[in-house]
Amino acid sequence: MTRTVKVTAGEVEANVKRGGDIRVTLSPRTVGCSSGFGGVMDLLPGDHITEHYHPFSEEFLHVVTGELQMTLDGQPVRLTAGDSLLVPIGVRHRLVNTGTVTAHCAFHLSPLAPRPELGHVDTEPAQRPGAADPQVGGTP
């Protein structure tokens, strides 16, 4: 192997702009991959990820711990530990921790948008608008 292929969540900066603690661990920036990006997310009880959609990517979400509700184009879907969910390209989605403990999830988005700034479209205001967007693209 000629490049880094393992990244620990604690090695990357948390993204908190849209809620939760989102850590993009595997991406073009972190490991030089070219087909998508992914990582882990923690969401405190009652916290949410603001509604958005991905015009070029499918999102795959796997719930490791906790109870969540994902709203897909206005339709609620209940999720618990062990559940996996596909968010199709272009579908508005919003995630809420409906449980009493921190929810922990793994996620992956693929394929990549043509440019990182085109990969995410907010449909409601970010919870922390002054926070930085995740750094997905670029080189490691």
Side-chain angles (χ1 to χ4, degrees), residues 15-22 41 43 47-54 93-95 116-117 119-135:
N15 179 276
V16 298
K17 183 173 188 167
R18 294 170 182 90
D21 179 314
I22 301 171
M41 175 189 64
L43 200 57
D47 197 4
H48 70 280
I49 304 297
T50 55
E51 186 183 81
H52 62 281
Y53 67 93
H54 308 283
H93 53 288
R94 185 178 201 267
L95 187 63
E117 67 274 12
H120 186 104
V121 178
D122 289 318
T123 54
E124 69 178 345
Q127 294 184 52
R128 297 169 191 92
D133 281 316
Q135 296 298 309

Side-chain angles (χ1 to χ4, degrees), residues 49-70:
I49 304 297
T50 55
E51 186 183 81
H52 62 281
Y53 67 93
H54 308 283
F56 296 95
S57 306
E58 295 176 315
E59 182 171 347
F60 304 84
L61 179 75
H62 179 75
V63 181
V64 178
T65 60
E67 297 177 23
L68 301 159
Q69 179 174 293
M70 178 74 86

Side-chain angles (χ1 to χ4, degrees), residues 22-39:
I22 301 171
R23 299 189 184 240
V24 176
T25 53
L26 302 175
S27 71
R29 180 174 298 274
T30 59
V31 295
C33 58
S34 60
S35 63
F37 70 93

Side-chain angles (χ1 to χ4, degrees), residues 43-48 66-70 77-80 95-101 103:
L43 200 57
L44 296 173
D47 197 4
H48 70 280
E67 297 177 23
L68 301 159
Q69 179 174 293
M70 178 74 86
V77 177
R78 184 175 177 269
L79 301 167
T80 60
L95 187 63
V96 179
N97 182 340
T98 56
T100 59
V101 301

